Amino acid sequence: MSTTRVPKVAGTKPPIPAAPHTSAPAAECRPVDRLAAVQDRLACWISDLTTLHELTERLARTTGLDEALREVLRAGAALVGARRGLLVLEPADRLGPDTTVGLGLGHADLGTIETVPHGAASYGILLDGTDESADSTTGTGIPGGPAGTGDDPDATAPADPAAPTTTATTPPATPAASASGATQSDRPAGRDEIIHPDLPHEPGLDPRHREVAAHLGFDASYALRLTTERTGHLGAAVWLYDEPAAPVERQRHLVGLYGRYAAEHIARQLELSRARGTLATLAEELLPARLPRVAGVRMAVRHDTGPRGGGDWYDALPLPEGALGLAVGGVTGSGPSAVAAMGRLRASLRAYAVMEGEDPVAVLSDLELLLRLTEPARSATALFAYAEPDQHKLVLAGAGHCPPLIIGDHRIEYVETSLSAPLGMLSCWEAPSVEVRPEPGETLLLYTDGLLHRTGEPMDRALARLHAAAQSAPRATRDDPDLLADHVLRTVLPDGLDTLDSPEDVVLLAVRFD
């Protein structure tokens, strides 16, 4: 029978680079006399407050859900003296997003850990939340599993009284002061945690849990449940030790305080992420589900909704006698109201295009009148083109919109749709149309100003950058509108659509005439 090893106290050196005051808490402060004891305790309090202040400030600066989750893992690892960990996000309302992020763990490692039965692993137990009927302050274990079944009794209550405790919750309030100077009742209420201080020698452990721990090379773990009063259970964070170890009482107290703040921050980021996702979905649903098939024309579109939800749109509408209506535009503002206004304008433009699409000026004039009568506080830009593919003929009109770009073997030039004010800016809008005859093999590039704004450059330089991107496209790329659209985006925005912190929508519509 193997003897039980006494676990080490979690390392006192931070496992990640940190600011001068963000190192892991030192070991228990031991007073020499009354004055020294007071001084030591005061120094501990100041150090702890400074540590929490700097870590929470760093967390507050995160701007996205994934970034926040990774920062919580890094800060928690510093507080409990661990090197690796994972955070599982599974909100209690089951609305998602369900995700897992790791610290010092690859995708394969995370997949291996997920094979451990929920009833046997600390992160699995905390992930499913606690049973409301269970007393979380008695130290008798935390029920796990979706059905609320209890954990393995051998894992939560070892037969050997001398064996290390493998499951723990916040102890009951006692008047005794902890080494950090705080009583048990000073700790955050409802802090659920599970400690496995010596996985290789812990009695009653699920064999799969022990096997995964040996495979990944960790000998101990500390898990903390993340929850808020408003949202309930959010998920769990687990930190892994390379050798038998456990955080001391002071470390557990600090990580509990940090975890309470972190859970509130994650809940806010989760709410923002869901709102942005809903807004993006709404914007996508208001745009064409697919581009139409029209003889003699091939099309491709790229659309990216900004984080605030903008009002840029595009359309490609088959018209009588084999004609095709093409439109791009955008309304001012952002958020749900801008998305709703975009949907109304796009629907109205489609109706006007069916009735009088061969006259783009009349289409935009009707749209301008509608905007002034129904939404006088809003303006919009738009460009509409009436295309006759069999005749290789285009008639365009623009209202304050960016000029389209013709791309071919013999010319790459902007089509000047005449300078005109945006819709809703003048008491009476009208501008002349422009006729273009694209040669076979030429592509018309329509786009919104978000593509130019995301470059971060003045408009004239951004337009020159777009022209250069089209000019640098190889011959084979120009022959395929999908390849051309990707090439232009990759060249104009080398950092990609998702990595730039810009509220602007991007629309890029490539129309090739065969």
Side-chain angles (χ1 to χ4, degrees):
M1 181 183 213
S2 61
T3 59
T4 302
R5 290 187 292 175
V6 178
K8 292 183 179 180
V9 171
T12 59
K13 294 183 179 180
I16 58 173
H21 295 290
T22 58
S23 59
E28 309 279 11
C29 302
R30 295 185 173 86
V32 177
D33 52 37
R34 290 188 64 180
L35 180 59
V38 172
Q39 291 175 338
D40 288 347
R41 183 169 297 176
L42 182 60
C44 287
W45 286 347
I46 294 174
S47 175
D48 291 349
L49 288 174
T50 304
T51 296
L52 287 176
H53 175 72
E54 293 187 1
L55 291 178
T56 52
E57 270 200 339
R58 190 187 302 176
L59 179 60
R61 287 194 293 267
T62 59
T63 56
L65 181 59
D66 186 72
E67 184 184 357
L69 297 179
R70 296 185 185 280
E71 176 57 33
V72 170
L73 269 182
R74 286 192 293 266
L79 289 172
V80 301
R83 190 174 64 88
R84 293 181 290 172
L86 69 153
L87 195 155
V88 182
L89 182 68
E90 276 195 1
D93 57 13
R94 306 296 183 187
L95 298 178
D98 298 344
T99 184
T100 301
V101 297
L103 173 69
L105 298 170
H107 290 294
D109 297 333
L110 295 176
T112 301
I113 292 176
E114 289 176 352
T115 65
V116 179
H118 274 201
S122 58
Y123 56 88
I125 297 170
L126 294 180
L127 172 63
D128 293 318
T130 58
D131 190 344
E132 295 297 333
S133 63
D135 183 1
S136 63
T137 64
T138 61
T140 57
I142 300 176
T149 58
D151 193 13
D152 185 345
D154 292 332
T156 57
D160 183 2
T165 302
T166 58
T167 304
T169 58
T170 302
T174 65
S178 67
S180 64
T183 63
Q184 299 284 359
S185 59
D186 291 332
R187 296 197 193 94
R191 182 186 69 167
D192 297 324
E193 57 183 6
I194 296 180
I195 306 172
H196 289 292
D198 192 359
L199 291 170
H201 301 88
E202 185 175 317
L205 192 67
D206 186 280
R208 182 58 185 163
H209 194 170
R210 202 188 312 275
E211 179 184 343
V212 168
H215 174 70
L216 297 181
F218 64 90
D219 286 349
S221 66
Y222 174 78
L224 183 69
R225 191 161 76 104
L226 301 174
T227 182
T228 69
E229 292 184 3
R230 183 170 58 89
T231 62
H233 178 75
L234 291 173
V238 188
W239 292 279
L240 309 175
Y241 300 94
D242 295 342
E243 56 186 7
V248 298
E249 182 65 25
R250 180 164 166 242
Q251 290 174 311
R252 291 169 57 194
H253 178 73
L254 284 180
V255 78
L257 291 173
Y258 179 79
R260 183 170 62 179
Y261 175 84
E264 294 289 349
H265 183 76
I266 290 173
R268 290 191 294 269
Q269 291 296 329
L270 178 63
E271 186 176 352
L272 286 174
S273 177
R274 287 175 173 176
R276 289 168 180 168
T278 301
L279 203 56
T281 301
L282 176 62
E284 292 293 340
E285 290 297 323
L286 290 174
L287 296 174
R290 61 181 180 84
L291 294 173
R293 296 186 179 218
V294 178
V297 174
R298 286 185 292 157
M299 293 178 284
V301 68
R302 299 293 182 267
H303 175 242
D304 181 72
T305 303
R308 300 177 188 172
D312 287 6
W313 86 86
Y314 66 92
D315 209 345
L317 178 67
L319 296 174
E321 300 180 0
L324 176 68
L326 302 167
V328 290
V331 300
T332 56
S334 60
S337 63
V339 173
M342 174 267 286
R344 292 190 292 269
L345 285 182
R346 174 179 170 265
S348 301
L349 188 143
R350 289 173 71 92
Y352 297 144
V354 170
M355 292 187 295
E356 48 192 3
E358 68 279 357
D359 185 357
V361 171
V363 171
L364 294 184
S365 296
D366 292 343
L367 192 65
E368 196 273 342
L369 178 60
L370 176 72
L371 187 66
R372 279 196 294 113
L373 294 176
T374 60
E375 301 188 55
R378 194 180 297 277
S379 64
T381 66
L383 187 144
F384 180 74
Y386 180 80
E388 297 177 277
D390 56 342
Q391 301 294 323
H392 285 275
K393 178 182 176 182
L394 275 171
V395 182
L396 307 95
H401 203 78
C402 307
L405 184 63
I406 285 282
I407 304 172
D409 293 334
H410 305 293
R411 62 172 174 171
I412 299 177
E413 60 187 25
Y414 286 105
V415 179
E416 185 52 67
T417 52
S418 75
L419 297 176
S420 172
L423 303 175
M425 298 292 287
L426 300 177
S427 59
C428 181
W429 180 92
E430 187 170 343
S433 59
V434 177
E435 182 176 318
V436 178
R437 291 193 172 270
E439 298 294 330
E442 290 188 331
T443 300
L444 178 71
L445 207 62
L446 306 174
Y447 54 95
T448 58
D449 58 3
L451 176 64
L452 306 177
H453 290 158
R454 285 207 189 187
T455 64
E457 297 179 343
M459 290 296 286
D460 56 342
R461 294 183 62 182
L463 287 169
R465 189 169 179 171
L466 176 60
H467 188 279
Q471 197 169 30
S472 66
R475 175 72 177 271
T477 300
R478 296 181 189 179
D479 291 341
D480 188 325
D482 276 295
L483 295 179
L484 181 61
D486 290 336
H487 171 83
V488 168
L489 284 179
R490 188 168 55 249
T491 308
V492 175
L493 303 175
D495 293 330
L497 289 170
D498 300 328
T499 56
L500 291 177
D501 184 17
S502 172
E504 300 286 344
D505 289 5
V506 171
V507 169
L508 182 65
L509 178 62
V511 184
R512 176 183 166 84
F513 295 88
D514 293 327

